[in-house]
Amino acid sequence: MLFFAFLSFEVLWMTRANLLSRLRSAGVRNILVRNLISEFVGTFLLVFIGTCNVAQFHLGREKTTTWIGVNIGWGFAIMFSVMATAKLSGLEEQSIITCSSGGHLNPAVSILFWSFGHLPGLWLVLYSVVQTAGAFLAAMCMYLYYYEAFDQYDSGIRAIAGPTGTAVVFCSYPAPYLGYFTPYLDQIIGTGILAYFLCVVIDEKNKVPKVWHPMIFGFLVMMIGTAFGMNLGYPINPARDLGPRLFSVFTHGSGVFSTPYPSYFLAPIIGPLVGALFGGWLYQVSLGMHIPDDAGTRELEEPIQEQEEKLLEKP
Amino acid sequence: MLFFAFLSFEVLWMTRANLLSRLRSAGVRNILVRNLISEFVGTFLLVFIGTCNVAQFHLGREKTTTWIGVNIGWGFAIMFSVMATAKLSGLEEQSIITCSSGGHLNPAVSILFWSFGHLPGLWLVLYSVVQTAGAFLAAMCMYLYYYEAFDQYDSGIRAIAGPTGTAVVFCSYPAPYLGYFTPYLDQIIGTGILAYFLCVVIDEKNKVPKVWHPMIFGFLVMMIGTAFGMNLGYPINPARDLGPRLFSVFTHGSGVFSTPYPSYFLAPIIGPLVGALFGGWLYQVSLGMHIPDDAGTRELEEPIQEQEEKLLEKP
Amino acid sequence: MLFFAFLSFEVLWMTRANLLSRLRSAGVRNILVRNLISEFVGTFLLVFIGTCNVAQFHLGREKTTTWIGVNIGWGFAIMFSVMATAKLSGLEEQSIITCSSGGHLNPAVSILFWSFGHLPGLWLVLYSVVQTAGAFLAAMCMYLYYYEAFDQYDSGIRAIAGPTGTAVVFCSYPAPYLGYFTPYLDQIIGTGILAYFLCVVIDEKNKVPKVWHPMIFGFLVMMIGTAFGMNLGYPINPARDLGPRLFSVFTHGSGVFSTPYPSYFLAPIIGPLVGALFGGWLYQVSLGMHIPDDAGTRELEEPIQEQEEKLLEKP
Amino acid sequence: MLFFAFLSFEVLWMTRANLLSRLRSAGVRNILVRNLISEFVGTFLLVFIGTCNVAQFHLGREKTTTWIGVNIGWGFAIMFSVMATAKLSGLEEQSIITCSSGGHLNPAVSILFWSFGHLPGLWLVLYSVVQTAGAFLAAMCMYLYYYEAFDQYDSGIRAIAGPTGTAVVFCSYPAPYLGYFTPYLDQIIGTGILAYFLCVVIDEKNKVPKVWHPMIFGFLVMMIGTAFGMNLGYPINPARDLGPRLFSVFTHGSGVFSTPYPSYFLAPIIGPLVGALFGGWLYQVSLGMHIPDDAGTRELEEPIQEQEEKLLEKP
């Protein structure tokens, strides 16, 4: 009797173990599909953890988590999301996309790599769409996770702003003292800093070991939060802002797109895209191009057309 | 005279030095016993440091340590406990358990490795028991260490909740706004995040150096604390919650198992077990299986039966 | 039609990619000019991020960012600025400047390397000038970035001190309890600690891996902020203090050079220069010279004259 | 004229450069003297930075630096002090002291290495004396550095305790709720945790890279501060407590040795010594001796007598 129980248990165990092996050899092999899965999942993780962090900060009336906890939490959210997707979105066998090792998780990062010629235009569009979709789903999960905390904060009546306003948990709203142009400036500078140092880190001439990249990106976002967070709360990522904002239409009504004024929601979309291009190319012009050669640049000087052709054949 | 004093001192010194050498060659060599010692000691260290951290936060009326101090303290408690046991619970000479390098210190982590086929079912049960025992002993030591701080907080009358309530130092209690199902959801999500990124880190395809693992697990728990701590205070570990709760029966009475309602205590036991399975397998399905092969997977594809047989012969 | 659109898009893309390659092979190759660009840009980045951090702390009335956020933010600002310029100001092919790998970004650091014989005197002067210019520009950008936050803080009337005073965002002012000599002492000690541990880190005998240097310098400045920040707010960098002070003449009037008393502004200029020499040589005398040799010192013992001649030929 | 000015400048520069080279080849070569210098300087740095940190916390009325800033600051003070002395106190060419790589900076650490047979008894005594002397000098420098901040806090009348009490800046005093025995228990546990994980880190079987040690010791002290700081403020180092206490006799009177009761000052001396022995050997018994061999233990099993003889010949 006991023997049979043991035997059946062992059979179950072996099956289970084989399941993992079989699973791991059945992964998607189409590069574009694989990368889109990776960008979707990575952005989901980033925005789910990040908005839960903001929810704990805001719904806890800034008594539990304080601002430094928001900075550190978002930083680690970046670190772990990038670590999870680092080996997927960046494809070493396809030299054309080498520089974009690690998940982008941010349309602003994707547009920068597109502008460097490391990402085809179609991919940029698809990346941006799945990133936004991931952020949308993340906002939904965050809402379910903290549903009762929302209720406790506003007694069940969702308000966008005011003393029981909770829309800020989902996406950015400008500080009351800001004018119409400043949100754009804020996002261009904030995302510019992100893109500038992103290029520092991934520039092979700077010899930052690849294994450090996720942690350094986390520290980078911590730094941005301590210095550029007062105006808008550093969204610096169109998907992170638009995805949850779209979801919050279902919870807070369409006013989320017209608060505090109708076109505000465009600033954390357009601003980061412009800022990433600005910051990334500013690095190349101000420092990157002057770093003395000692290998590491060869890859960038390969004839792009050949790479292009290879890429178009594949997916 | 002085010469003899010097001589006897030197003899004592040599003996002492030889003692260390002799000690270090007399360690337990049975793998299961060794791992159980390691899990017991590691969970003891983790929970002792962690509950002392919570005591300092709570008994100091949140004036000394603030929430960010709780997050950082628990994170480092994980880092150092895992570092201390990393070379014991994970046995490199036995390939079947390779993936579980480092101490589990958490039945939820053990059940995940069991589900991957890296830990026999009997071991899972034994691990969980010694982990809970270690956490029980840790709560006792914490209580002795901070006995006078408890007295100063509640004037010697132990209360579970209320203005002088101290039961929360031992184990988790739900925030007042939570319903009956939410604690389960909270633990499934929180432990799911833990298990998801645990699998990211130990997946050899992601090439995270082994020497970094303890520190990264520490950062991971810091992140969880900043984002998923408001509902229950992130126990995410059945042993960490049940062990101290059992001990607090002696100090706070059996009410600790019926506060705020009789079945609550099951949530931080069942939730993490389900959440770890959910998060760990979700990683394999959502990202792990799609990562392109370049070695690192071979080990997982070795015939599990052969490994099984080897394992059953030994202990 | 669509085909042509796609074609023109692809042409644009290729051009863009070639642009990056061409750009990167067109960098400045004169070592002195290159280093001056690097010092200018690096100090700009450091002071821009750092003063934005202080602005968020001060203009947010210390409610958003707290002091620990200032410490962590300035630390990471150092880390990333040094990382960005590490491969430019330090030139490995020119052994005479090997020790000064990484951007100095601080005239006090430059004078220390000059005193070690690793930097010609003319270069020291030029470095200091461009560092101060970079800090001046950084203050201007910070002012534009947080213009509306300034207005919201003081209703548009810039005051140096008092309840709506904002000059402290730009540069250091002494705590009210300080005497005339103490600011010098403060800066000598603070910059001395910086220079002492800077020498620990770059001393090759201590074998701190080069790739760690930026992060360790960041931690170093975090430490200084937690221990030596109460008197003046740890400027410890003449360029970081003088550059923004010069700019604040345009916004706050010339009173910034006579507050709280006329000669104060000299303390955070002279103090750091003296302190860096004091700290750096104290390291060499107290610890550095006693570390047992095992390579790593050879480079320092090369005949300096030969290196000198090589250097004078080049730029 | 200008030519001669330039020439004389260059001569000065070369001399200066040669000065560094000559200095660095003139270091003390006697191992014991060298180590004593290193222990003195290292403990000076540690206690100077650490007590300045406490001064900023206490004299700033806990408004500037908060408790987390104290934890992080002390942690980095450990990290940088150990980094500065890591290559001096630990002598790789003398295998008998290999395990004690890095500065001890703490008589409790020295007694632990003595008990392991890695440090002769006479050295232990000398180390303890110079460590305490370094801490004494550090307290003096801290007092000079923050002299005006002291005056501003207590209007020039130094008090040990009470609303203007400042003795706590120098050394530990027990929380008012503590009994006579608890300070000993507190120090045994706190230093026990320090010694336990110190042994984890330096045990070569655990394969923690040497270059990480200073940073990990820093994290360890951060962790201890978040969990074991409420009772006494974690001195966990007899030199760190006794040295500044001796100095504070000159500033606060001999009452510092009888507050709150005459024998208190012995607790942070005896407690750490006992705690380090307890924690270090507990590690060896509970985990260290069970870690499977794969090299790394050989060194410990070398005949101690031979090493002993070698050592006695040398200094």
Side-chain angles (χ1 to χ4, degrees), chain D residues 66-133:
Chain D
T66 51
W67 187 247
I68 187 72
V70 172
N71 299 155
I72 290 177
W74 265 105
F76 283 137
I78 289 279
M79 171 180 163
F80 282 101
S81 310
V82 171
M83 194 186 287
T85 54
K87 294 289 168 198
L88 274 169
S89 307
L91 296 172
E92 277 174 44
E93 64 268 36
Q94 262 209 319
S95 62
I96 206 167
I97 322 186
T98 36
C99 254
S100 62
S101 80
H104 301 177
L105 317 182
N106 187 343
V109 173
S110 298
I111 205 175
L112 177 64
F113 286 128
W114 168 81
S115 84
F116 286 165
H118 298 149
L119 197 74
L122 181 66
W123 290 38
L124 165 62
V125 174
L126 294 174
Y127 272 37
S128 302
V129 169
V130 297
Q131 285 160 354
T132 307

Side-chain angles (χ1 to χ4, degrees), chain A residues 304-314:
Chain A
I304 295 289
Q305 274 103 328
E306 286 178 29
Q307 293 190 12
E308 172 81 334
E309 280 155 25
K310 261 194 278 172
L311 188 75
L312 290 172
E313 285 162 23
K314 265 199 185 165

Side-chain angles (χ1 to χ4, degrees), chain A residues 178-252:
Chain A
L178 288 186
Y180 288 86
F181 174 66
T182 321
Y184 290 89
L185 177 71
D186 180 273
Q187 285 306 290
I188 290 169
I189 298 295
T191 319
I193 292 282
L194 179 75
Y196 196 99
F197 289 111
L198 179 80
C199 289
V200 169
V201 173
I202 64 172
D203 191 335
E204 297 190 2
K205 284 177 176 175
N206 286 322
K207 292 189 187 120
V208 181
K210 275 216 166 147
V211 77
W212 283 45
H213 289 194
M215 193 171 73
I216 290 180
F217 293 143
F219 289 167
L220 178 53
V221 173
M222 285 185 205
M223 181 184 77
I224 291 172
T226 63
F228 304 101
M230 196 167 66
N231 288 339
L232 299 189
Y234 64 117
I236 59 174
N237 181 337
R240 177 261 173 275
D241 201 75
L242 182 61
R245 195 182 298 274
L246 279 169
F247 177 76
S248 69
V249 169
F250 296 99
T251 59
H252 289 73

Side-chain angles (χ1 to χ4, degrees), chain C residues 70-241:
Chain C
V70 172
N71 299 155
I72 290 177
W74 265 106
F76 284 138
I78 289 278
M79 170 181 165
F80 282 102
S81 309
V82 172
M83 193 186 287
T85 54
K87 294 290 167 197
L88 274 169
S89 307
L91 296 172
E92 277 173 45
E93 62 269 37
Q94 260 208 320
S95 62
I96 205 166
I97 322 185
T98 35
C99 255
S100 62
S101 80
H104 301 176
L105 317 183
N106 187 343
V109 173
S110 298
I111 205 175
L112 178 64
F113 286 127
W114 168 81
S115 84
F116 286 165
H118 298 148
L119 196 73
L122 181 67
W123 290 38
L124 164 61
V125 173
L126 294 174
Y127 272 38
S128 302
V129 169
V130 298
Q131 285 159 356
T132 308
F136 181 91
L137 186 65
M140 186 191 297
C141 290
M142 178 277 288
Y143 188 64
L144 291 175
Y145 179 75
Y146 273 128
Y147 188 80
E148 286 169 326
F150 274 94
D151 273 1
Q152 163 264 153
Y153 188 86
D154 62 6
S155 315
I157 301 145
R158 299 285 173 274
I160 292 173
T164 61
T166 52
V168 75
V169 172
F170 290 92
C171 52
S172 73
Y173 291 93
Y177 58 79
L178 288 187
Y180 288 85
F181 174 66
T182 321
Y184 290 90
L185 177 71
D186 180 273
Q187 286 306 290
I188 290 169
I189 299 293
T191 320
I193 293 281
L194 180 75
Y196 195 99
F197 288 111
L198 180 80
C199 290
V200 169
V201 173
I202 65 172
D203 192 335
E204 297 191 1
K205 283 176 176 176
N206 286 322
K207 293 190 185 118
V208 182
K210 275 216 164 145
V211 76
W212 283 45
H213 289 194
M215 193 170 73
I216 290 179
F217 294 143
F219 290 166
L220 177 53
V221 173
M222 286 185 205
M223 181 184 78
I224 290 172
T226 63
F228 305 100
M230 197 167 66
N231 288 340
L232 298 189
Y234 64 118
I236 60 174
N237 181 339
R240 177 262 173 275
D241 202 74

